[in-house]
């Protein structure tokens, strides 16, 4: 086989379909988020505004987080030195897991290197703990959940997105005695819609199923202490296993699950994705713990309120231009484009002409024909920055519409 040729073919296919992904070189500046420096290929630099980051509240720049990381770095050095089982557990890891357990009202939590790994490792391990387990998965669950469910070797059922009747029919069709688990999300990040937590918990109770809720895009963002949509709605006690991230609203790095002490102990003891992975650096664990603790306070609520306000303002203004906004009431602002080439064109022009950085979202992240720009306003995107984005979208949307019409003629 000509391996080099095969790679050429695979990469060219992405170019032909208009969905080849490019990474731009940006440098975040401490204390200046959402401003960053774009380092161009020709060696020149330009200041840009980041509009597609997942550091939803700007906590990656917060003095409380940075101070905690500096303290831990000075006290312990850079790395953890091993897996959690072999010298990689420190007071910072234990403190972080205690903060996470408290955040979700659970007995224990377990930290992983990412939320992707936490989902994959946990969902692929659960059938070892519950032989014959059937997992019922929402059709729009994140790739990490899908991968974990695929790899576990057990039975799976996929229900149509947020379709409670379909989920009920699948549950009713299976052996009542079989162990069951329903895996779903509180916020589906590409459309920005909510999962039906209460109704799914009702079905889980009726059919004696466990509940597994991914709150990756909600932790830190919702609830009086940032515990997510389940906390906001008073439903945390009905969720058996939470999954979350430390790399979005908390602004640091890593992922976790939170559950009963017995459930966490079993996952800790059986999941290869946990057992054989070097633990988070202590400084990272310290920063994440400080971020979580801060966002539990009234000051954290101020950030959440300001972020929600900015998201509402941006949605109203973009809708006022007649743009096809996908609005389900969350903090995420997707603008439907529907074509990979034009989506990339808009992204490039926003960056080149206006210094606005938003990456195109294409297949396989979203289905073909649903390509979009996904804006994530933060509490520190000020009024002039919002105004500049709205004016840029107004100018470019008309340009791209004209370009599309010319191509179709």
């Amino acid at each position: 086989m000509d391996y080099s040729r095969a790679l050429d073919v695979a990469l060219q296919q992405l170019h032909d379909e208009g969905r080849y992904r490019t990474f731009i070189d940006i440098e975040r500046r401490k204390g200046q988020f959402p401003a960053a420096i774009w380092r161009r290929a020709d060696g020149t630099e330009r200041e840009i505004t980041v509009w597609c980051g997942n550091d939803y509240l700007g906590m990656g720049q917060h003095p409380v987080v940075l101070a905690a990381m500096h303290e831990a770095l000075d006290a312990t050095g850079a790395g953890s030195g091993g897996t959690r089982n072999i010298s990689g557990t420190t007071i910072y890891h234990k403190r972080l897991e205690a903060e996470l357990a408290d955040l979700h009202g659970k007995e224990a939590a377990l930290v992983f290197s990412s939320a992707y790994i936490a989902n994959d490792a946990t969902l692929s391990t659960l059938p070892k703990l519950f032989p014959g387990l059937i997992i019922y998965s929402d059709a729009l669950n994140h790739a990490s959940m899908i991968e974990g469910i695929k790899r576990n070797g057990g039975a799976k059922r996929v229900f149509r997105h947020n379709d409670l009747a379909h989920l009920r029919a699948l549950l009713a069709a299976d052996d009542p005695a079989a162990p069951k688990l329903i895996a779903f999300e509180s916020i589906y990040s590409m459309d920005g819609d909510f999962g039906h937590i209460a109704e799914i918990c009702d079905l889980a109770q009726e059919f004696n199923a466990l509940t597994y809720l991914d709150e990756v895009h909600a932790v830190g963002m919702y609830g009086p202490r940032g515990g997510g949509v389940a906390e906001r709605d008073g439903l945390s006690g009905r969720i058996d296993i939470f999954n979350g991230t430390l790399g979005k609203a908390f602004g640091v790095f890593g992922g976790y699950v939170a559950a009963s002490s017995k459930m966490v102990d079993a996952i800790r003891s059986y999941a290869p994705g946990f057992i054989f992975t070097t633990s988070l650096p202590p400084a990272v664990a310290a920063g994440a713990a400080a971020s979580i603790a801060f966002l539990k306070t009234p000051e954290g609520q101020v950030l959440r309120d300001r972020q929600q306000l900015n998201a509402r303002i941006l949605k109203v203004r973009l809708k006022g231009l007649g743009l096809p906004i996908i609005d389900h009431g969350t903090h995420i602002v997707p603008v439907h484009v529907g074509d990979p080439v034009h989506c990339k064109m808009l992204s490039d022009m926003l960056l080149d002409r206006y210094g606005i950085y938003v990456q195109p979202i294409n297949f396989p992240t979203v289905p073909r024909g649903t390509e979009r720009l996904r804006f994530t306003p933060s509490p520190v995107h000020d009024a002039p920055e919002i105004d500049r984005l709205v004016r840029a979208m107004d100018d470019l949307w008309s340009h791209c519409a004209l370009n599309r019409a010319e191509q179709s003629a």
Side-chain angles (χ1 to χ4, degrees):
M1 181 179 187
D2 185 340
Y3 295 103
S4 180
R5 173 60 181 162
L7 295 175
D8 288 339
V9 171
L11 292 171
Q12 188 59 46
Q13 180 179 346
L14 297 179
H15 284 286
D16 293 343
E17 294 176 1
R19 59 186 185 92
Y20 179 79
R21 302 186 184 203
T22 58
F23 301 149
I24 75 164
D25 185 358
I26 65 172
E27 179 181 324
R28 286 159 58 102
R29 295 289 176 90
K30 185 176 74 172
Q32 298 180 35
F33 180 80
I37 298 298
W38 170 30
R39 299 186 186 279
R40 296 185 178 102
D42 63 5
T44 60
E45 297 181 353
R46 178 178 180 179
E47 184 171 300
I48 61 172
T49 302
V50 177
W51 274 99
C52 59
N54 286 333
D55 186 358
Y56 291 134
L57 299 176
M59 291 302 294
Q61 304 283 316
H62 199 283
V64 168
V65 175
L66 301 185
M69 295 185 74
H70 279 295
E71 183 275 328
L73 182 65
D74 291 340
T76 68
S80 67
T83 67
R84 290 291 296 277
N85 296 313
I86 305 174
S87 79
T89 295
T90 70
I91 59 170
Y92 301 101
H93 297 88
K94 301 298 288 185
R95 187 179 301 161
L96 172 56
E97 288 173 341
E99 286 285 1
L100 289 166
D102 173 72
L103 179 70
H104 292 292
K106 296 301 179 188
E107 295 174 339
L110 192 65
V111 172
F112 292 78
S113 55
S114 72
Y116 188 109
I117 298 299
N119 268 333
D120 186 3
T122 302
L123 289 167
S124 62
T125 296
L126 289 175
K128 301 175 187 175
L129 307 176
F130 307 107
L133 179 70
I134 304 171
I135 297 183
Y136 303 80
S137 174
D138 189 286
L140 292 189
N141 276 343
H142 189 265
S144 58
M145 301 173 77
I146 295 169
E147 185 64 24
I149 293 168
K150 282 182 178 178
R151 290 200 311 105
N152 68 28
K156 65 178 183 296
R157 313 281 186 260
V158 178
F159 60 94
R160 291 184 292 272
H161 177 53
N162 271 345
D163 190 330
L164 298 170
H166 189 211
L167 173 58
R168 166 180 280 282
L170 293 173
L171 288 162
D174 283 319
D175 182 356
K180 301 174 179 66
L181 179 141
I182 305 171
F184 62 112
E185 301 185 37
S186 62
I187 293 178
Y188 293 85
S189 64
M190 289 302 108
D191 283 352
D193 58 330
F194 290 102
H196 299 311
I197 301 176
E199 294 84 350
I200 288 177
C201 287
D202 289 343
L203 287 173
Q205 182 175 352
E206 180 180 349
F207 289 94
N208 191 30
L210 296 170
T211 50
Y212 185 104
L213 180 62
D214 181 309
E215 289 251 42
V216 158
H217 289 275
V219 288
M221 302 295 294
Y222 296 84
R225 301 192 314 149
V229 179
E231 184 199 33
R232 182 198 69 179
D233 296 346
L235 298 169
S236 295
R238 303 187 70 185
I239 301 300
D240 294 296
I241 305 173
F242 282 99
N243 169 272
T245 184
L246 307 171
K248 291 185 170 60
F250 296 128
V252 191
F253 179 80
Y256 65 90
V257 293
S260 68
S261 294
K262 192 177 295 185
M263 182 73 78
V264 167
D265 192 20
I267 295 168
R268 176 189 71 85
S269 301
Y270 279 87
F274 176 82
I275 295 169
F276 299 105
T277 299
T278 299
S279 65
L280 291 182
V284 171
S291 181
I292 295 163
F294 178 85
L295 288 177
K296 291 176 181 177
T297 70
E299 291 177 90
Q301 189 59 47
V302 170
L303 289 181
R304 283 188 285 276
D305 290 343
R306 194 181 303 153
Q307 194 281 332
Q308 291 285 342
L309 175 61
N310 282 349
R312 288 195 297 271
I313 291 171
L314 181 58
K315 288 177 183 178
V316 167
R317 294 199 61 187
L318 292 177
K319 285 180 183 177
L321 299 177
L323 271 61
I325 303 297
I326 305 170
D327 185 5
H328 294 283
T330 65
H331 60 283
I332 296 167
V333 186
V335 178
H336 180 266
V337 179
D339 177 272
V341 173
H342 287 93
C343 199
K344 181 68 165 61
M345 181 190 302
L346 276 168
S347 172
D348 290 345
M349 294 171 74
L350 283 167
L351 185 63
D352 291 335
R353 297 186 183 184
Y354 300 93
I356 291 170
Y357 176 47
V358 55
Q359 275 284 58
I361 306 295
N362 294 330
F363 178 84
T365 306
V366 295
R368 297 178 195 275
T370 68
E371 293 82 5
R372 76 234 13 220
L373 298 176
R374 179 179 173 273
F375 297 99
T376 53
S378 76
V380 291
H381 282 93
D382 60 23
E385 286 165 339
I386 293 174
D387 190 61
R388 187 162 59 250
L389 171 61
V390 171
R391 291 177 183 276
M393 286 295 290
D394 190 20
D395 291 343
L396 295 182
W397 196 263
S398 300
H399 172 87
C400 288
L402 178 61
N403 185 276
R404 187 179 304 182
E406 290 173 348
Q407 289 183 0
S408 300

